[in-house]
Amino acid sequence: MAHGTARIGKDHYRTEINVSGHDLIGDEGPGLGGQNRGPAPYDFLLAGLGACTAITLRMYADRKGWPLESVDVGLRLLSKDGLRVDRVLTIAGLDDEQKARLADIAERTPVTLTLKGGLPIDTRLA
C-alpha cells in the first residue's frame, strides 16, 4: 500500500512530501500566503483521481484488446452547491460504445470509489 510523509518548517507554506519514494513539493498560492512553489492540497487530490482514472481506463482497454490511442482526463473542483469534482473524459481511438463503457468504468476506479465513499482517517501523536 501507499505510504508517505509531509514536513513543513518555517517557509509559508512550502511542504516537503515523500510518497512511496517520490519527492514532491506542496504549497499554497499567494492568495493564501504561500509562494505557489508546488501544487496545493486539492491539486494533489485531483492529480490522484486523474492518474487513477487514466491508468484504470488504459488497463481495461488493454485487457480488451481495444485500439485506445489516448485518454485525457479533465478535472475541476467545484464548490457551487457543495464541493464536487467535474470530470470530463476525452477518448481517442475507440467507437462510441467502447467510449461509453470506459465512462462507466471511470465511475468505479479505486480512487473514485474511495472519494465517493469517504475514507476513515485515524490520527494519533507520535
Side-chain angles (χ1 to χ4, degrees):
M1 289 305 296
H3 61 280
T5 60
R7 182 176 194 287
I8 192 167
K10 294 185 182 222
D11 289 339
H12 284 75
Y13 290 104
R14 184 180 182 279
T15 304
E16 296 171 3
I17 303 163
N18 183 284
V19 181
S20 298
H22 300 279
D23 292 324
L24 307 166
I25 297 295
D27 201 352
E28 288 288 357
L32 292 176
Q35 296 181 5
N36 203 31
R37 293 182 184 169
Y42 276 117
D43 297 330
F44 282 113
L45 181 87
L46 291 180
L49 177 60
C52 183
T53 301
I55 291 167
T56 301
L57 298 185
R58 168 52 71 191
M59 287 177 170
Y60 187 86
D62 287 351
R63 250 184 275 126
K64 293 290 188 178
W66 291 353
L68 177 65
E69 292 174 16
S70 65
V71 174
D72 292 332
V73 183
L75 297 160
R76 290 186 308 154
L77 190 64
L78 305 172
S79 60
K80 184 180 179 186
D81 302 324
L83 199 59
R84 64 185 180 89
V85 174
D86 178 52
R87 176 171 52 189
V88 177
L89 304 176
T90 304
I91 300 169
L94 301 182
D95 63 33
D96 289 344
E97 186 176 318
Q98 292 167 323
K99 289 177 183 180
R101 181 66 181 142
L102 288 187
D104 182 55
I105 294 296
E107 289 298 315
R108 292 188 307 282
T109 69
V111 173
T112 299
L113 293 176
T114 299
L115 292 173
K116 286 183 174 186
L119 177 68
I121 299 173
D122 299 321
T123 304
R124 65 185 181 281
L125 293 172

